[in-house]
Each structure stands twice: as structure tokens, then as C-alpha cells.
Amino acid sequence: MSAHAAQQTVSQIQKDQKVLKEHRKNGRKTGRLKWQGAGEFRSVAYQSEGFNVNHTTGHDFGTLTLSKIGEIPIRAHRDLPNTENIKRAILKKERTGAWFACFVVEVESPAKPDSEDIDSADCIGVDLGVLSYIHTSEDLSVECLHLESEYDQYVREQRALDRTEHGSENWENQRQNVARAKRQIRWKVLDFQHKLSTWLVKAYDVVAVEDLDVKSMLETSQSAKNKQDAAWSRFLDMLEYKGELHGTHVVRVDARGTTKECNQCGVETSKPLWVREHSCPACGHTEDRDLNAAKNILDRGLNKLSLQVGPGRSESTPVQTVLPAFAHHSGRMDAKHVVEAGSPAA
Ligand SMILES: [Zn+2]
């Protein structure tokens, strides 16, 4: 390791200690920093003096040159930035044994469209589903990912690890197999969320989405809640940062009552979770429960942005998107179409 990278690590440790001290000062209980052995240490950061990136012939391949280490061939997941634009390079070792190089780059955010320039057809409301992953105000429902076979694989590898003698060479190999099976699940979920969130911010100028906390308290059972919460809150974070990257308004709205409220007349009717259709006793309006909720979320989002909600907006506009895989599946869509859509996870 170069002296420079070692310094980075030392300053990171100091920063961590400072944070812990702050916490203690505010009366919070903290643990202590733990010593990491050489085998456990998994990431190291380089500031701009310590590295160089070389592009080779415009393909996905390049080399990363690190002081004291030398040239390392890398495979890029997206276009390699010029060295002078990279603020930091971080080398990271995953539990599977694979190494990653992460580049921290500053980018300009494009301006978001002014309210008078936004067409109502370019606005969408997104209901986070109970049965589906999302349901949009254009009546597109995307199902949750099926991960049964990935979880089966993970359980099998874990069992095999339990049968291996702890600390042996076989054990270390099998530990990596477990880590790989776990990574497979993580990557599949991430890939799904990246594609879905990228599509939304690219296809629309306004994406209104329910804020998570309220809904999960109201509707999800405690047992399944934490896992699903983590997945959704990451999805919302993705939407927000991608909104900045693509110049799209991403608005979180209070989702309280969005399933009860009639999108046509505003009268509230409570219905238990298993009643999948909204049927309004006041105005007779009938439609899918999640579609009605998504439309309410869109209205609230537009209100929050102080955009005028034109009459007839509640009539569904046909799904026209940049991504053909989505357009062909207006109505119910299986999650695997999202995975197969093949847009880069940007
Ligand atoms: Zn009504």
C-alpha cells in the first residue's frame, strides 16, 4: 500500500472516532472501533494523486494504475471517466473475493422543467404495492421479483458450509460460495430496482411516489415489514438521486388515505386489504384499488409542486414509453420483463 493510501485510512479512522465521540457527547451509547486483521481489511481509498486511469481502445476494458501497486486491468460497467475528473478511487474487496474499483466523479445536474412546461401526460404517480412491486397511475403494475430459486441455492450453500470443518481450506472455498449465492440475490434485486427507477425518471418529468413510513405502518404486517422496507427505501433513494441526474421532479407525498379516497369525488371509504377494487358509494366510480391510490398519489404530488391538475387527467393515458418492454406490457407485468429489458443500470 502506498503511504498516501495509508494516510487516507488513518484519517478515515480518525473521522470514525470523532463521530463516535460526538455520539457519546449526545448521550448515545456507542461501541468501540474494532481492530481488523489483515484478512478482514477490505477497502482502501486513493485521492487523485495516487492513481491513473487508461482507456484502451474504447471498449469496456481499461487499466487502473495505482502507486506502489502498478497497473491493474479493469472491466468497466460504464464509460470510464478521465482521470482528472475522478475525485477518489476506492478499491474494495467483496466477501466473494472479487475486487472492485469505484470512482467518485462530480457531475452537473440538468435543470428540471418549469411547471408551465410540464405536460400532464409526462407525470406519473407510483403506488408501492402490497401484491405488486409498484402500480402506476397509468395502470401499469409491475410484479415483485421471484427469488425462490436464488434463496434455495443460498440455503444449499449454507448447509454445505455447516458440514465443512471450520477454518479448513474447503471451508474458506465454501464460505465464498455462500457469499456468491448471497450476492446473486442482492444483484438481482439491485438490477431490478435500477432498471425500474431509471425507466421512471427517463420516461417522465414528474414522478410522485408515496412516502414510505406511513404506509408501511398502516398496511404491512410486522414480520415481512423490515425486509420490504429496506428494499423500498432504497428504491425511493434511487428515484431521488436519478431524478437529479436526469432533471426529473421526484416528489414524495404523504400516502395517508390514498387507498380510501375516491380519485373522482374525494369521498373516503375504508376497505380491508383483501378488497382489491375501489368502488365508491358516493359517485359510483369503480376501478382497481392500487390504480385509484396511484392516481391520488399523483394528484398530491402535483399539488405539492403547485402544478395545475387539469380536468380529465384521471382518464388513463395509454402507456407510451421509451422502453418497449414496458409498453408491450401495459396492465400486469411480470418482474422478469424488467430484468430482461436490458437498459443499463444507470
Ligand atoms: Zn367517488
Side-chain angles (χ1 to χ4, degrees), residues 261-267 269 278-285:
E261 192 182 305
C262 174
N263 186 255
Q264 294 287 309
C265 71
V267 167
T269 325
H278 166 79
S279 174
C280 179
C283 74
H285 177 61

Side-chain angles (χ1 to χ4, degrees), residues 109-129:
S109 305
K112 295 175 184 175
D114 290 333
S115 51
E116 58 265 27
D117 297 331
I118 296 175
D119 195 290
S120 62
D122 295 325
C123 306
I124 199 161
V126 177
D127 179 58
L128 298 177

